[in-house]
Amino acid sequence: MVGPTASLSPLVRADGSASYQCPSTGSNILGSVNAPVELPGRRDALKPEDATVEVFVKPGTAPASVGERYVEGIIRGVVGRLILGRERGYQRRGVVITLAIVGGENVSRGDSYLTLLPALLHTALLALLSASVPLSMTFSATVLSVDAAGKITREPSAEDAAAAKSLHVLAFSSKGHLLLNESQGAFDFDTWERVRERASAICHGTSVGEDGDVAMVESADGQPLEGTIRETVEDQVHRDYSWKIDAA
Amino acid sequence: MASTAPSLTLPPSQFARLQPHAYLLAHLSPPASSNQPSIRANGRAPSQFRTTYANTGSLTHTNGSAVVRVGDTTAVCGVRAEILPTDDIASWSVSHSSSSNTNKRRKIIKSENEEEEEEEEEEEEDPNEESHIQDLNLLVPNLSLSTGCAPGFIPGAPPSALAQSLSHQILNLLHTTRLVRAEDLRVWYQPPSLGGEELERHNAEEQMDVDVDEAARKDGEVKAFWVLYIDIMIVSMAGNPFDAAWAAVLAALRDTKLPRAWWDVDNEMVVCSDVVGEARKLTLRGLPVASSFAVFEADAAAGWRAVIVPDAEEERLIEEGDRKGIQRRWVLADPDGYEEGLSQERACVVVDKVRGKTVIVKMEKNGGWALDGKELKGLVDVSERRWEEVKTILEQC
Amino acid sequence: MSSPLILLPGDEIPSEYLPSSSSAPLRLGPGLRLLSQPPSSKPTSSTPSHVLTATQAGIFTTDAKKNAVSILSSPNRRYIPVVNDLVIAQVHHSSPDYFHCMVTPQAPHVVLGQLAFEGATKKTRPMLKQGDLVYARVLSVGLGAGAEVELTCVNPATGKAEPGGLGHLTGGMVFDISNGMAVRLMRASSASGQQQQEDGVAGLVVLDELGKKLEKVGGFEIAVGRNGKVWVDCSNGGDVAVKATVAIGRCLTTIDQHDLVPADQKKLVSRILREMKIEV
């Protein structure tokens, strides 16, 4: 299957930026990060020893509404826990993440954002890396759908997602923790455990269970997402420091 | 750890304000010598929910209403039904014909795979109707955190991000659980050719119109939909607004009665009966119950400068430590406002029981890395017990 | 070190990459953190008691002289003032005691004391107008949110403009370059002449090359600000002064945008000088 593609720092003026395309879900996201920035004094931003993380999601065709507020909350929950907001220069300042949906399916009112969520999360992460915001670790995320027969589909298209019985978004940290789980639709716990195992294989390339089927899982899912993130960053570093690397 | 309970020279209420984290930690990890179970600052056991009360029909001017109180968090929900004639839906004629095509395709897929246990009637109406609720926005929930429900909510402010995301969560859950049947929201018009006495009332012209219609649709046609405006107000906010709001929505929908409505051919409009006896209740699918949790971590304040993140492998070692009595994190069911302020990781599980079998409808966790498979399994079990509790409460009210 | 070590946040630095010999304490630069081993793994195990972890993505570098390690992360991000950096600031407006200057367009103005110039007294303070350029050193960045950044053009201890050249920049032109390029140019210009390397310092030969070619027209002056600005002046050039200034600017910005290697830099210099018809 065709894996996602990403590039770092496409925007010149922002502190950090990233663009991310996922062909299977059809999403195309452009993200920027500005950090650290001065925030105007606000009642809810007064954490004396920590940075305030703000996330804005801009849909492609409509003004942002309640669905965006919700997905912004999810993204803030994930990255807010990874940003080291107590590093020097970040306390009492803001980390502002803006994610614009520039292509792909539109999300209408009341629809879940789950098919777009991994792409949004990856864009946010890459933009944070590009802005050199200190992080405790990185993560990778994927969305899986389960149809009525129990078949798991990786990164379903919008139609597949609408026909699915349940949808699951999982994010794993680079150290193997389950950072985020968003599941909706009817399912039982055994299904979820299968989903978790498959998602872990997609993100890390190794299944948690027996070692025997590792190779098979990898070939079915291509490169693990973690590797894609790492390669994107390495490419950019090679470009930025070609003079140094070539000289060495 | 044992030294975390020094002799207090200030009253507990002040200690709780000055050192909230240490205060809750001291409650949860009593000295090993005392042999006390860990208990929260509010006197509950970690997996204990607050006392829940529900009352329905409290608002007289709505079609259905409920007040649900979970501890000090109170949600009021009112359901107002309004008629949406299909003539007013711009895309109706287009979408209706096209959607019936796509739905047929979906229906085939569904019927192949659907387990046989599913009720027959449900399966029949399933594909079409669900998309009507979603496409035509027949359910419109709106949640407001009213001024003064908690100190942070000042008058005149726009809806907070929390209120907006709660509204979205409720709408999304209404859609994914397919709680309301679209059939209940439909106002049908049966063409009069079927019934003899109705025929008399119509003149010839109308008869012709109807005949044309009939050629297109055999059974009759939908002339209007009921739109349910579900307004939720959090009157008092003391943590965990979602559980209370969802329970209020559920109770209010169970209480909702729609008057009998029909298409009046002469006036070309939908009219309702004012006879109370003719009003019918909604028939809801299942009874999904939400349970929320927060994770309290012992070392949140210790990581003052550095956040030390152990590997997933090391996490397992920490769990081993748990069993030896050195507990570092506690999963608190139904957190109150004080506990929510001290924890970052949240989880929410919505379960339903269909013929004794537990079905998870929604499972979320975010904001940390303490909960994984094993812990979530535990939460599902707790949520199942909670389901029984809430079911009893809702059935009694 | 054959292949560079590229790290992502959360990666641990393999101990073989760390400078091992020195007894002096290891200095941690930006992007690295010392995370003590979590309490779960017992101290009895033979693992080292400290692990260095990256907090930013970038190349791991070591400096044997200072026994320091750091991570070079994304070079082209916005400039954030750091004490002792040299910057080129533009005066925005002045108040009785301070000039309010712009260092980066997105950030709040920084202040530069009216008397923070060499030889300035209350009577002889420099009369800078709006839009004037100043080459200055960051004196303090303040603490916490809303803190003001202060610049100076003198060394407060000696009252002299140290290092040389601080103060009002008259004539010349300013070109925008990336912050990464600014750092490289500073290293290249400070080291030029001292050691002749085949590839130049920091992969830049452009300054040496321009210096050689423009010797005939009287050479040029250059000031590099860490905030991604470079000021060039060829006022000795007579007729071609303006042309030469623009040519230098074009060379620098083109090299920055296209990441040219030293050989291409030499070609580019010749080509641009030829195109602009500057006699060499």
Side-chain angles (χ1 to χ4, degrees):
Chain A
M1 71 177 289
V2 192
T5 53
S7 64
L8 281 190
S9 310
L11 304 177
V12 187
R13 299 247 167 179
D15 291 352
S17 55
S19 76
Y20 184 91
Q21 292 90 33
C22 180
S24 47
T25 54
S27 43
N28 184 359
I29 317 283
L30 180 65
S32 80
V33 166
N34 284 298
V37 290
E38 305 286 338
L39 289 175
R42 279 199 336 236
R43 292 178 68 157
D44 57 342
L46 290 182
K47 281 188 289 179
E49 77 289 3
D50 215 338
T52 304
V53 180
E54 293 204 333
V55 182
F56 299 101
V57 174
K58 308 279 180 199
T61 50
S65 78
V66 290
E68 283 73 31
R69 291 292 99 72
Y70 176 59
V71 77
E72 283 163 9
I74 296 176
I75 298 169
R76 189 168 47 237
V78 176
V79 299
R81 199 65 209 270
L82 302 183
I83 292 173
L84 299 171
R86 289 170 177 167
E87 290 286 86
R88 206 179 58 173
Y90 280 84
Q91 299 103 326
R92 306 197 73 172
R93 295 211 165 98
V95 177
V96 181
I97 304 171
T98 311
L99 302 165
I101 301 167
V102 290
E105 290 286 324
N106 269 317
V107 180
S108 57
R109 179 181 168 277
D111 277 358
S112 73
Y113 248 98
L114 294 191
T115 48
L116 273 178
L117 190 53
L120 290 168
L121 283 169
H122 285 151
T123 315
L125 172 68
L126 289 169
L128 285 169
L129 292 175
S130 149
S132 303
V133 175
L135 303 173
S136 58
M137 52 192 172
T138 59
F139 64 86
S140 48
T142 188
V143 54
L144 301 169
S145 71
V146 182
D147 67 12
K151 186 172 160 284
I152 299 176
T153 314
R154 172 189 174 177
E155 280 149 20
S157 63
E159 295 91 60
D160 288 349
K165 204 148 177 262
S166 59
L167 264 180
H168 308 260
V169 173
L170 294 98
F172 293 92
S173 76
S174 52
K175 295 188 177 183
H177 313 94
L178 177 66
L179 275 183
L180 170 80
N181 177 71
E182 292 280 325
S183 300
Q184 61 174 44
F187 60 99
D188 55 19
F189 203 79
D190 296 338
T191 314
W192 184 81
E193 282 186 325
R194 284 198 298 128
V195 166
R196 189 204 178 282
E197 194 162 322
R198 175 78 190 277
S200 171
I202 290 169
C203 291
H204 293 303
T206 48
S207 60
V208 188
E210 313 85 294
D211 292 338
D213 57 350
V214 169
M216 186 205 77
V217 169
E218 266 187 35
S219 60
D221 286 321
Q223 191 192 19
L225 288 173
E226 210 182 28
T228 310
I229 302 264
R230 186 172 288 270
E231 263 178 23
T232 308
V233 173
E234 284 178 356
D235 283 355
Q236 185 64 35
V237 171
H238 274 284
R239 250 198 307 285
D240 285 343
Y241 288 100
S242 53
W243 55 273
K244 190 179 176 71
I245 294 168
D246 293 345
Chain B
M1 183 198 70
S3 62
T4 48
S7 60
L8 293 174
T9 51
L10 38 136
S13 62
Q14 284 183 25
F15 183 36
R17 275 171 181 273
L18 292 170
Q19 293 284 325
H21 191 270
Y23 183 72
L24 184 53
L25 181 62
H27 274 84
L28 285 168
S29 53
S33 54
S34 70
N35 263 339
Q36 281 174 342
S38 74
I39 195 162
R40 301 201 232 166
N42 48 30
R44 285 186 277 157
S47 66
Q48 191 185 350
F49 288 76
R50 288 174 287 184
T51 327
T52 307
Y53 308 94
N55 184 25
T56 54
S58 341
L59 309 175
T60 49
H61 53 278
T62 58
N63 294 72
S65 63
V67 179
V68 169
R69 178 167 178 181
V70 182
D72 284 337
T73 302
T74 310
V76 182
C77 176
V79 178
R80 197 175 76 247
E82 286 186 6
I83 282 175
L84 172 73
T86 48
D87 298 342
D88 291 357
I89 305 171
S91 60
W92 174 248
S93 52
V94 186
S95 72
H96 192 59
S97 50
S98 67
S99 72
S100 63
N101 277 337
T102 55
N103 283 328
K104 228 172 265 165
R105 187 163 47 80
R106 277 180 62 185
K107 193 167 174 176
I108 293 165
I109 301 170
K110 270 245 155 90
S111 55
E112 275 174 2
N113 303 326
E114 203 90 7
E115 290 156 57
E116 299 101 62
E117 306 155 358
E118 295 275 344
E119 289 134 285
E120 285 301 306
E121 82 213 24
E122 194 175 308
E123 196 174 333
E124 266 173 45
E125 60 159 315
D126 224 2
N128 216 339
E129 324 321 339
E130 204 196 324
S131 69
H132 276 169
I133 289 196
Q134 200 156 344
D135 294 346
L136 305 176
N137 285 334
L138 299 184
L139 299 175
V140 189
N142 181 45
L143 183 140
S144 52
L145 291 159
S146 57
T147 304
C149 65
F153 297 91
I154 44 175
S160 63
L162 175 65
Q164 292 189 43
S165 81
L166 285 170
S167 294
H168 175 82
Q169 272 173 285
I170 287 168
L171 175 63
N172 196 240
L173 196 52
L174 283 170
H175 285 166
T176 55
T177 55
R178 303 183 292 128
L179 188 67
V180 178
R181 289 166 202 263
E183 188 48 48
D184 288 347
L185 302 182
R186 242 175 240 155
V187 180
W188 285 94
Y189 168 57
Q190 293 294 338
S193 59
L194 304 171
E197 78 264 57
E198 265 180 311
L199 198 94
E200 293 162 21
R201 302 212 311 259
H202 301 295
N203 60 32
E205 277 172 62
E206 275 170 343
Q207 188 72 55
M208 263 169 57
D209 283 351
V210 170
D211 282 340
V212 177
D213 270 358
E214 232 179 299
R217 301 184 186 90
K218 275 182 283 174
D219 287 322
E221 68 181 304
V222 179
K223 278 294 186 186
F225 286 102
W226 286 107
V227 180
L228 301 183
Y229 292 90
I230 304 166
D231 288 290
I232 307 129
M233 200 169 207
I234 306 285
V235 181
S236 162
M237 164 86 159
N240 196 5
F242 183 71
D243 286 8
W246 178 249
V249 169
L250 200 58
L253 285 173
R254 286 165 63 88
D255 179 55
T256 301
K257 278 183 179 166
L258 296 180
R260 192 172 77 83
W262 66 93
W263 176 252
D264 186 272
V265 183
D266 298 327
N267 295 319
E268 297 211 317
M269 62 187 287
V270 176
V271 286
C272 298
S273 149
D274 58 357
V275 182
V276 178
E278 282 182 333
R280 61 194 161 73
K281 284 202 159 192
L282 296 174
T283 45
L284 302 180
R285 287 192 188 95
L287 186 87
V289 171
S291 321
S292 298
F293 304 87
V295 180
F296 176 75
E297 289 175 67
D299 52 1
W304 187 240
R305 273 191 59 79
V307 185
I308 296 166
V309 185
D311 276 350
E313 293 303 314
E314 288 163 345
E315 293 277 344
R316 252 157 244 145
L317 291 174
I318 293 168
E319 274 173 38
E320 299 289 321
D322 269 11
R323 257 166 260 141
K324 288 171 203 137
I326 318 156
Q327 200 171 349
R328 278 178 58 248
R329 39 177 78 124
W330 292 264
V331 181
L332 309 176
D334 188 19
D336 61 20
Y338 183 73
E339 291 162 341
E340 274 190 347
L342 295 171
S343 52
Q344 286 181 290
E345 186 165 4
R346 302 288 156 80
C348 176
V349 182
V350 182
V351 296
D352 197 356
K353 278 192 183 174
V354 182
R355 280 183 289 282
K357 218 177 114 196
T358 305
V359 178
I360 308 170
V361 186
K362 165 172 161 154
M363 185 162 76
E364 292 181 351
K365 70 139 263 172
N366 195 359
W369 42 80
L371 299 173
D372 207 328
K374 195 159 64 75
E375 293 81 3
L376 287 171
K377 177 93 178 106
L379 296 189
V380 172
D381 293 341
V382 174
S383 308
E384 278 174 40
R385 289 201 291 280
R386 174 71 176 166
W387 185 84
E388 303 283 354
E389 273 175 47
V390 173
K391 183 168 183 269
T392 327
I393 292 164
L394 290 184
E395 276 169 358
Q396 281 168 354
C397 67
Chain C
M1 184 166 56
S2 56
S3 73
L5 180 62
I6 297 178
L7 295 166
L8 254 60
D11 290 354
E12 285 174 8
I13 289 117
S15 49
E16 64 263 27
Y17 279 89
L18 294 174
S20 52
S21 54
S22 174
S23 58
L26 193 66
R27 286 158 177 268
L28 293 189
L32 287 173
R33 284 280 286 269
L34 182 69
L35 296 184
S36 55
Q37 198 79 319
S40 63
S41 44
K42 296 280 175 291
T44 50
S45 63
S46 61
T47 50
S49 58
H50 296 111
V51 181
L52 283 182
T53 312
T55 61
Q56 295 175 355
I59 300 189
F60 179 74
T61 56
T62 51
D63 186 333
K65 239 185 281 167
K66 290 184 198 153
N67 195 31
V69 289
S70 63
I71 282 191
L72 297 179
S73 59
S74 172
N76 297 331
R77 58 185 308 228
R78 169 171 55 113
Y79 173 70
I80 292 171
V82 174
V83 173
N84 276 335
D85 276 355
L86 294 172
V87 295
I88 294 176
Q90 189 172 27
V91 176
H92 186 266
H93 64 271
S94 60
S95 61
D97 289 332
Y98 291 105
F99 294 112
H100 298 260
C101 312
M102 214 162 62
V103 171
T104 36
Q106 309 92 321
H109 293 152
V110 302
V111 296
L112 168 64
Q114 298 245 8
L115 300 180
F117 291 88
E118 193 179 32
T121 63
K122 286 210 167 130
K123 296 273 154 60
T124 62
R125 62 180 72 178
M127 301 300 282
L128 296 183
K129 297 185 302 296
Q130 185 183 356
D132 280 353
L133 295 168
V134 181
Y135 197 38
R137 201 165 56 83
V138 178
L139 182 68
S140 65
V141 293
L143 265 182
E148 278 192 330
V149 177
E150 191 171 356
L151 306 180
T152 181
C153 291
V154 288
N155 183 338
T158 61
K160 293 271 191 298
E162 285 177 352
L166 290 192
H168 185 197
L169 297 173
T170 44
M173 264 183 96
V174 162
F175 298 93
D176 284 329
I177 51 172
S178 70
N179 292 337
M181 184 69 175
V183 175
R184 287 168 67 190
L185 271 176
M186 285 178 117
R187 290 178 54 189
S189 56
S190 63
S192 71
Q194 292 171 13
Q195 58 200 107
Q196 285 298 326
Q197 286 178 19
E198 185 57 26
D199 282 346
V201 179
L204 284 176
V205 293
V206 58
L207 291 182
D208 293 336
E209 195 66 15
L210 283 168
K212 268 183 250 160
K213 300 229 169 171
L214 292 175
E215 221 165 358
K216 237 187 258 173
V217 297
F220 61 93
E221 273 188 280
I222 186 166
V224 187
R226 277 294 306 267
N227 53 336
K229 304 232 184 284
V230 56
W231 173 85
V232 182
D233 188 25
C234 279
S235 47
N236 302 336
D239 298 343
V240 293
V242 176
K243 272 207 255 179
T245 307
V246 172
I248 294 165
R250 273 183 59 188
C251 288
L252 294 177
T253 46
T254 317
I255 289 168
D256 183 25
Q257 275 160 20
H258 299 286
D259 290 326
L260 298 184
V261 296
D264 290 340
Q265 292 174 12
K266 287 183 183 166
K267 273 186 224 154
L268 179 87
V269 168
S270 319
R271 204 191 72 212
I272 286 185
L273 292 182
R274 198 167 55 243
E275 275 174 15
M276 309 231 358
K277 301 202 172 59
I278 296 169
E279 296 292 318
V280 287

